Amino acid sequence: MIKLYLSSSCTSCRKARKWLQTHGIAFREIKLSPNLLSKEDLIGMLSLSENGFEDIISSRSKKYLEVVYDFGNLHLDEAIALIQREPRFLKRPLILDERQLLIGYNKEKIRSFIPTEARRVALKSRMVLA
């Protein structure tokens, strides 16, 4: 199941939600609010990222700039607890399934969430029409 972590005030989040809905792709929407992210959710994001916290933390967010934590030097449990208290540290949207993570909205990369079978059907229908 695809999970879409978003903030309702985020334009890119609304674009990602609309894209998934338009393409008929089932997803679970999770609003980034304090204390709603589980430790398992965050560990799942980190396990799919290439560079851990560096990938998912928004170093340009107002909240981050106010406190300037060095997530690389925090213990994993401390960093997770901090993000759970202040999810505005995260980049948005975060889109993931069991095998991939997309950080931010990218209209080309989001296509990788189209189910394989749906891509096969679309490809076959193009071949028939040609």
Side-chain angles (χ1 to χ4, degrees):
M1 166 64 74
I2 294 171
K3 294 180 181 179
L4 171 64
Y5 295 87
L6 69 142
S7 167
S8 55
S9 63
C10 168
T11 304
S12 293
C13 297
R14 290 192 299 268
K15 287 178 184 178
R17 179 193 310 130
K18 183 175 180 171
W19 189 93
L20 291 168
Q21 290 170 335
T22 299
H23 289 83
I25 298 172
F27 65 96
R28 185 171 145 225
E29 183 175 311
I30 303 161
K31 295 202 187 313
L32 290 171
S33 305
N35 303 316
L36 287 183
L37 285 170
S38 71
K39 181 177 181 177
E40 292 76 27
D41 287 341
L42 288 164
I43 289 174
M45 288 175 200
L46 291 168
S47 70
L48 293 170
S49 71
E50 290 182 25
N51 301 302
F53 287 111
E54 186 179 323
D55 286 346
I56 66 171
I57 297 297
S58 175
S59 58
R60 296 184 310 173
S61 75
K62 288 180 189 177
K63 193 65 177 175
Y64 181 85
L65 294 173
E66 287 173 9
V67 292
V68 190
Y69 286 101
D70 184 0
F71 281 87
N73 288 327
L74 291 176
H75 184 274
L76 179 64
D77 288 333
E78 291 174 313
I80 286 174
L82 185 59
I83 293 169
Q84 287 175 313
R85 284 192 309 273
E86 193 52 69
R88 289 183 287 178
F89 285 136
L90 293 174
K91 292 179 181 177
R92 298 175 306 268
L94 293 160
I95 309 164
L96 62 117
D97 61 16
E98 302 78 31
R99 56 188 173 78
Q100 63 183 328
L101 169 67
L102 177 61
I103 302 163
Y105 174 73
N106 179 305
K107 63 183 177 181
E108 296 304 319
K109 291 182 180 179
I110 197 170
R111 300 181 69 72
S112 67
F113 288 95
I114 297 173
T116 305
E117 189 56 35
R119 279 187 256 150
R120 284 186 190 128
V121 169
L123 184 60
K124 283 182 184 178
S125 67
R126 282 190 219 142
M127 292 174 142
V128 171
L129 294 174

